[in-house]
């Protein structure tokens, strides 16, 4: 089982709290996006009337999905994509209702919300047998698989929740499609699919592995993050690191909506791993921090560099071609997704690092809502959201006591952790925030995020090299260290 080796000892020596660590007996539960300590913090802060938790909780309670009267509408087969009777909107609405009711139960203590979440999840595990459609079925498996696991994690200890049946649903309906995608990419060349396709699959496999105490799945997902062949692996999704502390997000050359989706998914992946003692937030000298800062600055309207790159696309043994991105796409500073509170709070509050663009964009997006607050299209349901309530944290102190190194699988550590094992090697970005305030944002509908969302590409010079079907991008002004 993967663990953050040596984290606890190093953290104790430096006076920081360590990331939670699961034992060989299983994984910490609850322990996907929210630990037991996280849930207790939310309840205590709301009860005390503390800002901004109260504003975040108000967003939750106002959402129609968070009401105890929600009734599930389970389907035997869920279709997503062209050429099928699409009904996946039913699934994502029900899953967000289950998640929001589960979260509301933990904050309010009112059992009717837990009962509603359990009823929704039990109904789906009793009926759903397959995911079908076009290639978008892989998106359905990834997105709704990780969301289903997180909703179920909130009520897994309820006596009326069908735990084993839900574990079977995740491990036989959702995760196999995601696992297959990471291996064969729907029989396409490995760079055919943009980073968010890999990231949905990675999130599903990791969440399923934790929920089902399946270490093989956890290892597959974590190792893919570090060294996978597709564009969702961290060095492919964030291929160029600049000396100013910002790192290019590959999908910024596509469009803003999908870049925001990818950042949100990678943040979700890192948070779920962190809560099992695996520090991917800090991996490769805080590479994700640098990429998230880049997207935050760009989304706020700031100028960012972009290195021209080309990716191969097409089917193995069939049609093939190339697409080139030569510059970062245009942005709408009012566009947002509920992704920033989680990422900003990890780096600035848990780790005590400077992240000025993340701080600004998180404040601008607050209070973050959840599914149903960002329009009816699928893009408004790609993230579980509600980060102002769920992820706002007090700053960690250097005197914080390290968490226990061997928590049981049935309970999460009693305090939020701060992994100091790489603190000395993780300087904060040196770039300064963009000058001038951004326009006040409005939240509009987010577009669907399927395979039909294409961007026109044009040929250009300055292309980077392609070898063995893998996208190779140079790191400007830097050399790869031996670990790479």
């Amino acid at each position: 089982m993967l663990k953050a080796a040596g984290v606890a000892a190093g953290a104790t020596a430096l006076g920081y709290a360590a990331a939670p660590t699961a034992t060989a007996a299983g994984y910490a539960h609850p322990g996907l996006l929210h630990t037991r300590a996280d849930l207790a913090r939310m309840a205590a802060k709301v009860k005390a009337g503390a800002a901004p938790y109260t504003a975040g909780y108000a967003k939750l309670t106002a959402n129609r999905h968070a009401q105890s009267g929600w009734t599930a509408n389970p389907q035997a087969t869920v279709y997503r994509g062209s050429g099928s009777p699409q009904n996946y909107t039913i699934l994502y609405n029900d899953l967000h209702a289950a998640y929001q009711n589960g979260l509301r139960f933990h904050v309010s203590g009112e059992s009717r919300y837990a009962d509603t979440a359990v009823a929704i999840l039990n109904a789906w595990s009793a009926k759903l047998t397959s995911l079908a459609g076009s290639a978008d079925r892989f998106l359905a498996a990834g997105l709704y698989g990780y969301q289903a696991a997180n909703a179920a994690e909130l009520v897994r200890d309820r006596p009326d929740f069908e735990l084993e049946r839900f574990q079977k649903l995740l491990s036989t309906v959702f995760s196999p499609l995601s696992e297959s995608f990471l291996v064969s990419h729907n029989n396409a060349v490995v760079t055919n699919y943009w980073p968010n396709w890999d990231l949905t699959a990675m999130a599903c496999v990791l969440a399923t592995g934790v929920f089902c105490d399946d270490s093989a799945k956890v290892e597959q997902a974590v190792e893919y993050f570090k060294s996978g062949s597709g564009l969702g692996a961290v060095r492919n999704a964030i291929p160029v690191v600049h000396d100013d502390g910002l790192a290019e997000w590959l999908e910024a050359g596509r469009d803003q909506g999908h870049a925001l989706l990818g950042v949100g998914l990678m943040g979700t992946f890192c948070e779920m791993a962190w809560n099992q003692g695996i520090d991917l937030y800090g991996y490769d000298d805080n590479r994700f921090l640098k990429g998230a800062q880049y997207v935050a600055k760009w989304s706020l309207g700031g100028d960012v560099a972009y290195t021209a790159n080309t990716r191969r696309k097409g089917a193995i043994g069939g049609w093939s071609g190339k697409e080139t991105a030569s510059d970062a796409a245009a942005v709408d500073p009012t566009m947002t997704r509920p992704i920033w509170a989680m990422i900003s709070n990890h780096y600035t509050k848990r780790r005590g690092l400077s992240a000025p663009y993340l701080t600004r964009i998180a404040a601008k997006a607050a209070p973050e809502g959840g599914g149903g607050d960002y329009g009816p299209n699928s893009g408004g349901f790609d993230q579980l959201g509600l980060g102002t309530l769920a992820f706002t944290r007090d700053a960690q102190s250097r005197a914080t006591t390290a968490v226990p190194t061997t928590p049981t699988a049935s309970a999460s550590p009693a305090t939020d952790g701060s992994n100091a094992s790489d603190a000395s090697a993780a300087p904060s970005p040196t770039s300064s925030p963009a000058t001038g305030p951004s326009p006040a944002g409005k939240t509009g509908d987010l577009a669907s995020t399927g395979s039909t969302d294409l961007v026109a590409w044009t040929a250009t010079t300055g292309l980077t090299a392609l070898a063995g079907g893998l996208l190779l991008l140079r790191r400007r002004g830097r050399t790869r260290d031996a670990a790479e």
Side-chain angles (χ1 to χ4, degrees), residues 151-397:
E153 188 79 353
L154 293 174
V155 294
R156 67 178 294 138
D157 294 332
R158 300 289 290 180
D160 50 346
F161 176 62
E162 296 288 348
L163 175 60
E164 291 184 2
R165 194 170 74 196
F166 207 84
Q167 288 175 322
K168 181 179 179 181
L169 175 68
L170 289 171
S171 61
T172 64
V173 176
F174 288 97
S175 189
L177 278 172
S178 292
E179 294 172 57
S180 170
F181 187 84
L182 294 178
V183 172
S184 64
H185 291 89
N186 196 29
N187 200 41
V189 295
V190 74
T191 57
N192 183 76
Y193 291 98
W194 287 98
N196 71 82
W197 288 77
D198 270 356
L199 287 164
T200 63
M202 292 157 60
C204 175
V205 175
L206 177 62
T208 299
V210 171
F211 190 83
C212 298
D213 292 307
D214 186 334
S215 61
K217 287 181 173 57
V218 173
E219 290 175 9
Q220 179 189 8
V222 172
E223 290 308 312
Y224 197 94
F225 174 92
K226 295 178 177 179
S227 57
S229 58
L231 297 184
V234 66
R235 292 188 185 97
N236 295 335
I238 311 172
V240 181
V241 178
H242 295 283
D243 290 335
D244 65 358
L246 300 184
E248 294 176 21
W249 190 267
L250 182 67
E251 217 152 351
R254 182 186 185 189
D255 63 63
Q256 184 184 8
H258 287 93
L260 292 174
L261 169 63
V263 171
L265 288 169
M266 189 171 285
T268 294
F269 189 85
C270 290
E271 184 69 18
M272 293 190 297
W274 174 272
N275 285 333
Q276 298 301 329
I278 305 166
D279 183 12
L280 301 179
Y281 276 120
Y283 183 74
D284 194 21
D285 193 20
N286 288 316
R287 196 180 192 95
F288 177 50
L289 168 61
K290 298 167 186 176
Q293 279 266 93
Y294 174 96
V295 174
K297 178 183 179 182
W298 170 61
S299 293
L300 287 166
D303 292 330
V304 293
Y306 192 87
T307 305
N309 66 80
T310 294
R311 67 185 184 99
R312 289 181 57 211
K313 60 179 185 175
I316 295 175
W319 175 87
S320 63
K322 296 179 181 179
E323 287 183 338
T324 297
S326 58
D327 202 356
V331 298
D332 175 1
T334 69
M335 181 183 290
T336 190
R337 285 177 182 253
I339 63 175
W340 298 112
M342 175 175 59
I343 303 166
S344 176
N345 274 274
H346 172 80
Y347 286 114
T348 65
K349 299 298 181 62
R350 273 188 182 142
R351 294 294 314 282
L353 300 177
S354 174
Y357 301 113
L358 287 176
T359 300
R360 284 185 58 200
I361 203 165
K364 182 181 175 184
E368 289 180 355
D373 289 323
Y374 299 88
N377 295 329
S378 62
F381 292 82
D382 288 339
Q383 281 84 27
L384 291 168
L386 297 161
T388 303
L389 169 66
F391 301 110
T392 299
R393 305 177 185 279
D394 295 327
Q396 292 288 332
S397 168

Side-chain angles (χ1 to χ4, degrees), residues 70 77 80 95 106-107 113 123 164 166 183 199 225 244 289 352 358 378 394 398 415 424 435-436 447 462 479:
W70 190 279
T77 300
R80 176 167 175 165
L95 289 178
H106 281 282
V107 176
Y113 298 112
E164 291 184 2
F166 207 84
V183 172
L199 287 164
F225 174 92
D244 65 358
L289 168 61
L358 287 176
S378 62
D394 295 327
R398 294 185 69 89
T415 182
S424 63
T435 58
T479 58

